[in-house]
């Protein structure tokens, strides 16, 4: 893959819901989902996360750990690793909130905070072929970034988003969150 310039997009958060023994999905994920989708995701989450890892239900914790190790080894060997969410399927990885959890999972995989920021910004833009427009903070590029209160090295602090800049316009994070409560998955 590396020799042929094939990139990988990490979607660890999409798979985490199916891994027995992982921490519960944050309540704010359920808040943004449409009620009928939230109920289904909650039921699946309780069933799968409470399962015996040897039952064959869901993804074995060792397989999930191996996926993290693979992504880490791929990037360290020179592969282009990006990250994103795929809010289809079980719906536990909505854009924004799923990205924040993916950030934490990449830290868990062994990446440094600065490496994760690069994976989730510059590398993503490169994979999409728009790195000349976005992905890094440089004069002449479109300002797509977030302002976070807290130490991004601490798990959970990435969740304290205050302002989201999209195309150079600042948006109140709390207002954006409130505007989608109960709607994700139906629009």
């Amino acid at each position: 893959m590396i020799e042929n310039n094939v990139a990988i997009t990490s979607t660890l958060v999409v798979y985490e819901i199916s891994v027995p023994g992982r921490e519960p999905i944050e309540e704010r994920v359920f808040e943004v989902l449409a009620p009928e989708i939230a109920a289904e995701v909650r039921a699946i989450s309780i069933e799968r996360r409470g399962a015996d890892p040897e039952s064959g239900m869901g993804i074995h914790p060792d397989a999930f750990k191996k996926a993290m190790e693979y992504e880490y080894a791929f990037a360290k060997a020179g592969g282009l690793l990006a990250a994103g969410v795929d809010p289809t399927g079980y719906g536990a990885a909505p854009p924004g909130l799923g990205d924040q959890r993916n950030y934490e999972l990449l830290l868990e995989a062994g990446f440094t905070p600065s490496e994760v920021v690069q994976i989730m910004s510059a590398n993503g833009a490169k994979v999409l072929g728009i790195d000349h427009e976005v992905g890094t903070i440089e004069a002449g590029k479109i300002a797509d970034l977030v302002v976070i209160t807290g130490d991004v090295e601490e798990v959970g602090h990435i969740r304290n988003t205050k302002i989201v800049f999209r195309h150079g316009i600042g948006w109140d994070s709390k207002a954006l969150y409130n505007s989608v409560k109960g709607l994700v998955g139906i629009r």
Side-chain angles (χ1 to χ4, degrees), residues 11-163:
T11 57
L12 293 169
V13 67
V14 173
Y15 298 102
E16 186 185 32
I17 186 177
S18 297
V19 181
R22 298 294 296 181
E23 66 182 68
I25 296 170
E26 275 190 281
E27 192 58 35
R28 64 192 188 133
V29 170
F30 296 115
E31 290 174 354
V32 300
L33 295 175
E36 61 274 22
I37 294 170
E40 185 178 331
V41 170
R42 192 179 299 276
I44 291 168
S45 173
I46 290 169
E47 176 187 29
R48 297 252 170 103
R49 288 180 185 228
D52 175 355
E54 304 307 324
S55 70
M57 180 181 287
I59 298 170
H60 194 282
D62 291 344
F64 188 67
K65 182 179 178 198
K66 184 61 72 179
M68 290 177 148
E69 291 170 355
Y70 175 78
E71 289 182 7
Y72 184 82
F74 175 77
K76 292 301 180 179
L80 181 60
L81 180 67
V85 296
D86 179 2
T88 59
Y90 299 121
L97 303 181
D99 292 302
Q100 290 171 348
R101 182 64 186 140
N102 221 33
Y103 178 94
E104 295 167 346
L105 292 170
L106 287 167
L107 289 178
E108 185 180 329
F111 293 100
T112 66
S114 59
E115 289 171 330
V116 178
V117 169
Q118 179 176 334
I119 289 165
M120 297 189 79
S121 56
N123 289 7
K126 188 172 183 179
V127 167
L128 294 172
I130 58 172
D131 52 317
H132 61 285
E133 298 173 21
V134 297
T136 56
I137 301 171
E138 298 178 54
K141 287 193 174 183
I142 299 169
D144 283 355
L145 51 96
V146 295
V147 176
I148 298 169
T149 300
D151 183 347
V152 295
E153 294 185 28
E154 296 287 328
V155 171
H157 286 201
I158 191 87
R159 301 173 188 172
N160 295 323
T161 304
K162 297 301 175 193
I163 302 171

